[in-house]
């Protein structure tokens, strides 16, 4: 499966200013993310940004970069602009890799891309949860699948709800019950990626604050690749940044 990786990267961050340019072992974070994408076997890797400092950093390290508008409401809209600018074929596969994932497992990118097909315009990833605290944490997004491995629903709530098991104990997961945590990595067929920004925001998306529910609400399938283990966490806080810096210092 040939695929292209587009990495949306904005300089503004409320919790971690200048995050894409944070130094990780002598290279900016966004460059480290691009290097991970290269390990996945991507045919092409492009950073999508609206800031000249990110453009300059990418060019210094030989990473292809495309300037975009500054007013995009989401990273998906930003990568759609880049895909249009590149005149990609309708059936081209585009992987959306966030610019704060310098430790992402490259195999996940290829796996997500491999789930795209004529009848599957979008895909993502998930992994099993084994901790009750995670299952009940609204910041950990859960997903339930149908028998074909496609998403039925995403939620911040604990789904599926184990009626009998949780009636007895809500401090541990019932035996044999393994909910799935959603991993925020997406792949798209380009024709759907171009259509996505025109889809009306769904009521479910507004309630759960989960953008992917717009896709399900409009009737489009999302294939889900399930991996055995949780991937390394991204960088959202100063503590995350120090953890990742230690990795690249080794």
């Amino acid at each position: 499966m040939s695929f292209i990786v587009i990495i949306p990267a904005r300089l503004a961050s409320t919790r971690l200013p200048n995050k894409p340019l944070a130094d990780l072992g002598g290279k900016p974070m966004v460059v480290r993310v691009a290097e991970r994408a290269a390990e996945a076997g991507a045919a092409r890797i492009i950073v999508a940004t609206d800031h000249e400092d990110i453009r300059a950093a990418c060019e210094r390290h030989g990473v292809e970069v495309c300037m975009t508008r500054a007013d995009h409401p989401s990273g998906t809209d930003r990568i759609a602009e880049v895909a249009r600018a590149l005149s990609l074929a309708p059936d081209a596969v585009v992987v959306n890799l966030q610019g704060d994932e310098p430790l992402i497992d490259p195999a996940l990118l290829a796996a997500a891309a491999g789930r795209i097909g004529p009848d599957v315009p979008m895909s993502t990833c998930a992994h099993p949860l084994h901790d009750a605290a995670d299952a009940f944490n609204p910041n950990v997004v859960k997903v339930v699948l149908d028998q074909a491995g496609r998403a039925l629903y995403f939620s911040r709530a604990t789904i599926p709800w184990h009626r009998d098991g949780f009636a007895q104990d809500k401090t541990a997961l019932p035996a044999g019950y393994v909910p799935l945590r959603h991993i925020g990595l997406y792949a798209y067929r380009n024709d759907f990626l171009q259509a996505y920004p025109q889809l009306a925001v769904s009521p479910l998306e507004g309630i759960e604050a989960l953008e992917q529910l717009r896709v399900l609400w409009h009737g489009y399938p999302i294939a889900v690749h399930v991996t055995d283990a949780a991937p390394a966490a991204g960088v959202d806080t100063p503590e995350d940044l120090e953890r990742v810096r230690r990795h690249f210092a080794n």
Side-chain angles (χ1 to χ4, degrees):
M1 168 66 70
S2 176
F3 62 96
I4 293 169
V5 174
I6 303 180
I7 304 168
R10 295 176 63 250
L11 201 61
S13 172
T14 55
R15 288 185 290 183
L16 202 57
N18 301 326
K19 180 166 63 172
L21 298 180
D23 183 86
L24 299 180
K27 295 180 181 179
M29 183 185 303
V30 69
V31 172
R32 293 293 190 184
V33 175
E35 290 176 343
R36 297 296 276 186
E39 292 179 36
R44 191 172 181 182
I45 302 158
I46 307 103
V47 171
T49 187
D50 59 3
H51 202 284
E52 284 293 331
D53 288 353
I54 294 177
R55 179 195 62 78
C58 289
E59 290 181 347
R60 281 196 301 272
H61 291 275
V63 175
E64 185 177 0
V65 61
C66 182
M67 297 299 293
T68 69
R69 301 196 332 255
D71 60 347
H72 286 301
S74 72
T76 310
D77 296 87
R78 193 177 303 279
I79 70 167
E81 179 189 345
V82 172
R84 285 194 301 275
L86 297 176
S87 299
L88 298 182
D91 62 350
V93 177
V94 178
V95 174
N96 180 357
L97 174 59
Q98 297 304 306
D100 57 4
E101 295 279 357
L103 300 181
I104 190 72
D105 180 358
L108 289 178
L109 279 67
R115 295 300 301 272
I116 300 297
D119 59 342
V120 179
M122 181 174 171
S123 66
T124 189
C125 299
H127 72 84
L129 281 175
H130 301 288
D131 190 317
D134 287 336
F136 287 101
N137 184 348
N139 294 316
V140 175
V141 178
K142 277 69 70 173
V143 59
V144 290
L145 311 182
D146 67 11
Q147 64 177 348
R150 298 180 182 183
L152 288 170
Y153 192 66
F154 297 86
S155 182
R156 298 184 182 278
T158 307
I159 56 172
W161 182 262
H162 199 298
R163 186 196 65 173
D164 295 336
F166 290 145
Q168 302 298 320
D169 183 5
K170 293 187 178 68
T171 64
L173 298 181
Y177 170 75
V178 184
L180 293 175
R181 172 183 173 249
H182 175 232
I183 300 170
L185 170 72
Y186 298 100
Y188 307 87
R189 200 175 58 225
N190 185 43
D191 54 357
F192 176 74
L193 177 61
Q194 299 307 317
Y196 174 86
Q198 279 68 55
L199 296 177
V201 174
S202 76
L204 296 174
E205 173 186 0
I207 292 169
E208 295 256 21
L210 296 175
E211 184 181 326
Q212 62 271 35
L213 290 176
R214 184 186 317 181
V215 178
L216 297 182
W217 193 79
H218 284 280
Y220 294 96
I222 301 176
V224 181
H225 168 74
V226 178
T227 184
D228 292 335
V235 178
D236 290 318
T237 67
E239 293 75 18
D240 291 335
L241 180 57
E242 288 309 309
R243 168 181 52 82
V244 173
R245 279 178 167 159
R246 288 193 295 271
H247 172 87
F248 284 99
N250 294 332

